[in-house]
Amino acid sequence: MEPPVRLASTGTIIHGVSVGEVLGVSTLAEARLIAGESGLGRIVQRLNVMEVPDILAWVKPHELLLTTGYPLRNTPQSLGRLVADLDERGLAALAIKLGRYVDELPGDMVEQADRLGFPLILLPNDVGFDDILNQVLTDILNRQAAVLARAEEAHRALVQVVLAGGGLREVAAEVAQLLDVSVAVVDGAGAVLATAGPAEHVAALRESISHEGPPARAARTPARTPARTPAKAGLAPARAGTAGRGREFASVPVLAGGHHHGRIVAYSASTAIRDSDVGILERAATVAALVVTRQEAVNAVESKYRADFLRDVLTGRAGTAERINGRARAFGWDLSRPVTVLVAELDPDGDERSAQDRLVACWTAAVRRHDQRGAVAGFSHEVVAVIDAALDAARVAKDAAAAFADLPPATFSTGTSRPSPGADALPEAYAQALKAARVGRQLHGPGAVAHFDQLGVYRLLSLVNDTDELHAFVRETLGPLAADDDAENADLRRTLHVLLETNLNVAETARRLHFHYNTLRYRIGKLERMLGNFTDDPHLRLNLTLALHVLRMRGI
């Protein structure tokens, strides 16, 4: 039975010895177990002597309690309840000398001890408590010193792995060798990042991980099942245990910077994973956190270089096509072939910082699945992907959106460019994709996916760089209908829009707007007094249609 890890009142002793091992010391050679044999695996971390009536107020978990029975000499009827009280407080065992103050233990006390698995030990009268205290505590402290020395040695070995440039694979291999177990390093999503150990044992470990799934929360979950946990304590078992034919598993989290990065899981096919082994696993988790943090720092720098380079390419500041293609190959990109540019831009009203990080991750994964040589980088408010022009850009965007869907309420709009023949034309393709994303959002709302060639007249309007001129055109053409400060004007503008959309079909317009025919005829007269005789002037109708389109694109 593996020992629990629970700090003693001194904060120093964290390991102990089993009751069975205590009975093996020389001073207790003549001691006799009279009840509670099933509890011999209980752990002794400290010793105490009971010679006062109110001892229950002073006992602590995992204590071996020694007594001559003096406090119990006048209340033999309380002995039966004493076992339950001590067991409830998590004590390891009770050792008593009979004959001086208490002649024998009541039968119900022995029965209760057997039922609870609480060891009752009969001490020889010629052994002093001080001899027992010295010998058992010396044994505990020696074991503690050995455990700490082993943990320190393991820590030095693991740190040396990192200092030598090793990664998670090397850390896992070192832990497997130190503990003679199989080891797996798992990320926060439950994916196995590195393994070490015999192939058949690693397979069993992977099976256990796949059944267990990712952890629900960042919690300390090593294998620390005490010999007996008081039922009333309400403590849940740790994530560890035996799974068929003696398989033993233990899991500890990898935490860095307040974030849960996964866990290290160990499996032993032959022997139980001891508490000292779990302590080394925790050291390994700390070292793994250093590796993860280091890799994240490297990835952040590399991501910045990739984003800066791609931004220079898309804005025409990266130099010649030959230079661009050479640097792109260093990043694993191929920009010399015909490509399509996609821009994914976060829609307003989301948690921009966290959503942006997630957006980059989703698009990176989607591009990698479809095009290993595709380029992808995150900018401040958008993600840009450059993929093979032969690929279905809409499918790539759909895959990224599906992965992003688990982060409500944030959404993003996607724009796709025309095919670009090479690096020189990428700035123009980027501008097209950006226009498509923004116009698509204006026309279809958040989460829109739009291709530049499908924007129709909006594509032409989006190419007008002088937005002041566009707005002046709207005011000159629509007059008072251009403003939103009057609800009646907005209603009239809606009527005008449907009239133009139905090619001046009065009956169809009345049906769509749920107006009486004569009401609509009245409104048409009012519109013509404000805007001119548009029912007879096709050029005016074209201007009005364009002005309404520009209004719909407001904000672009």
Side-chain angles (χ1 to χ4, degrees), residues 143-198:
R143 292 188 182 214
Q144 174 72 3
V147 166
L148 293 176
R150 181 170 177 251
E152 185 61 29
E153 180 182 353
H155 184 72
R156 283 197 298 267
L158 290 167
V159 170
Q160 188 59 41
V161 168
V162 178
L163 293 178
L168 294 177
R169 188 183 303 276
E170 288 74 20
V171 170
E174 187 69 23
V175 174
Q177 181 178 355
L178 287 168
L179 302 181
D180 192 23
V181 295
S182 297
V183 177
V185 182
V186 185
D187 68 11
V192 177
L193 304 178
T195 60

Side-chain angles (χ1 to χ4, degrees), residues 271-342:
T271 60
I273 296 177
R274 297 170 298 175
D275 183 67
S276 57
D277 297 335
V278 176
I280 291 176
L281 279 178
E282 290 178 330
R283 299 289 185 102
T286 301
V287 173
L290 294 176
V291 173
V292 170
T293 304
R294 180 187 66 187
Q295 190 58 47
E296 285 185 344
V298 172
N299 291 342
V301 173
E302 290 181 349
S303 296
K304 183 179 185 304
Y305 278 122
R306 287 194 295 267
D308 288 346
F309 169 64
L310 188 58
R311 184 184 289 106
D312 288 343
V313 171
L314 298 176
T315 55
R317 299 195 303 256
T320 64
E322 182 178 358
R323 182 172 181 271
I324 291 172
N325 293 332
R327 289 195 62 187
R329 283 193 294 271
F331 289 120
W333 302 342
D334 184 1
L335 301 183
S336 61
R337 56 184 174 166
V339 294
T340 299
V341 177
L342 295 94

Side-chain angles (χ1 to χ4, degrees), residues 152-277:
E152 185 61 29
E153 180 182 353
H155 184 72
R156 283 197 298 267
L158 290 167
V159 170
Q160 188 59 41
V161 168
V162 178
L163 293 178
L168 294 177
R169 188 183 303 276
E170 288 74 20
V171 170
E174 187 69 23
V175 174
Q177 181 178 355
L178 287 168
L179 302 181
D180 192 23
V181 295
S182 297
V183 177
V185 182
V186 185
D187 68 11
V192 177
L193 304 178
T195 60
E200 64 274 17
H201 295 169
V202 169
L205 191 54
R206 286 181 178 273
E207 182 181 359
S208 171
I209 292 169
S210 65
H211 289 163
E212 188 179 59
R217 59 186 178 90
R220 193 167 185 259
T221 55
R224 294 187 170 170
T225 305
R228 179 175 179 83
T229 301
K232 295 185 179 180
L235 300 177
R239 177 181 294 169
T242 306
R245 295 183 296 182
R247 294 180 181 178
E248 295 289 339
F249 297 90
S251 173
V252 296
V254 177
L255 304 173
H259 299 286
H260 186 277
H261 295 280
R263 52 205 166 101
I264 295 181
V265 186
Y267 162 58
S268 174
S270 55
T271 60
I273 296 177
R274 297 170 298 175
D275 183 67
S276 57
D277 297 335

Side-chain angles (χ1 to χ4, degrees), residues 321-468:
E322 182 178 358
R323 182 172 181 271
I324 291 172
N325 293 332
R327 289 195 62 187
R329 283 193 294 271
F331 289 120
W333 302 342
D334 184 1
L335 301 183
S336 61
R337 56 184 174 166
V339 294
T340 299
V341 177
L342 295 94
V343 171
E345 193 174 50
L346 283 172
D347 296 320
D349 303 327
D351 183 355
E352 188 168 313
R353 181 65 269 165
S354 61
Q356 178 70 11
D357 294 340
R358 179 67 174 161
L359 185 65
V360 174
C362 291
W363 271 93
T364 300
V367 170
R368 290 293 169 264
R369 282 195 297 271
H370 293 272
D371 187 0
Q372 290 292 330
R373 297 182 298 163
V376 58
F379 299 163
S380 58
H381 301 287
E382 65 199 38
V383 175
V384 180
V386 183
I387 62 174
D388 190 341
L391 293 174
D392 184 352
R395 184 178 177 185
V396 178
K398 183 178 179 181
D399 283 359
F404 193 74
D406 62 350
L407 192 69
T411 58
F412 64 88
S413 297
T414 306
T416 307
S417 74
R418 293 169 173 166
S420 172
D424 289 337
L426 283 176
E428 181 181 357
Y430 171 62
Q432 293 171 358
L434 192 60
K435 288 288 186 183
R438 295 180 178 177
V439 173
R441 181 191 295 114
Q442 291 291 328
L443 299 181
H444 308 297
V449 178
H451 192 287
F452 186 72
D453 282 341
Q454 298 172 345
L455 299 180
V457 68
Y458 296 103
R459 185 179 77 217
L460 299 177
L461 293 174
S462 69
L463 296 176
V464 179
N465 294 324
D466 191 348
T467 56
D468 290 339

